[in-house]
């Protein structure tokens, strides 16, 4: 068994949120709403790279 670390930058979660006024709760709610899509993208990126640390940027979600 091994671990794979995925990082999701705030800009991915921000979407329509204003990064200046968004609260932690706003980002957590955004993560919860995007979770199925994040998992789908994470699986695809991992399958292509097989790295143990992956940062999911905006390009991965287009």
């Amino acid at each position: 068994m091994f671990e794979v670390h995925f990082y999701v930058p705030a800009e991915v979660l921000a979407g329509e949120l204003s990064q200046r006024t968004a609260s932690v709760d706003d980002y957590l709610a955004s993560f919860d709403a995007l979770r199925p899509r994040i998992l789908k993208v994470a699986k695809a990126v991992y399958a292509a790279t097989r790295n143990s640390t992956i940062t999911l940027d905006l390009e991965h979600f287009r």
Side-chain angles (χ1 to χ4, degrees), residues 7-17 19 27 30-31 34 37-38 41 55-61:
Y7 297 95
V8 181
E11 66 183 2
V12 171
L13 300 176
E16 296 178 12
L17 298 173
Q19 289 185 347
Y27 283 107
S30 179
F31 180 86
L34 290 172
R37 189 164 179 214
I38 291 170
V41 169
T55 299
L56 301 175
D57 58 30
L58 285 175
E59 292 293 318
H60 293 115
F61 289 87

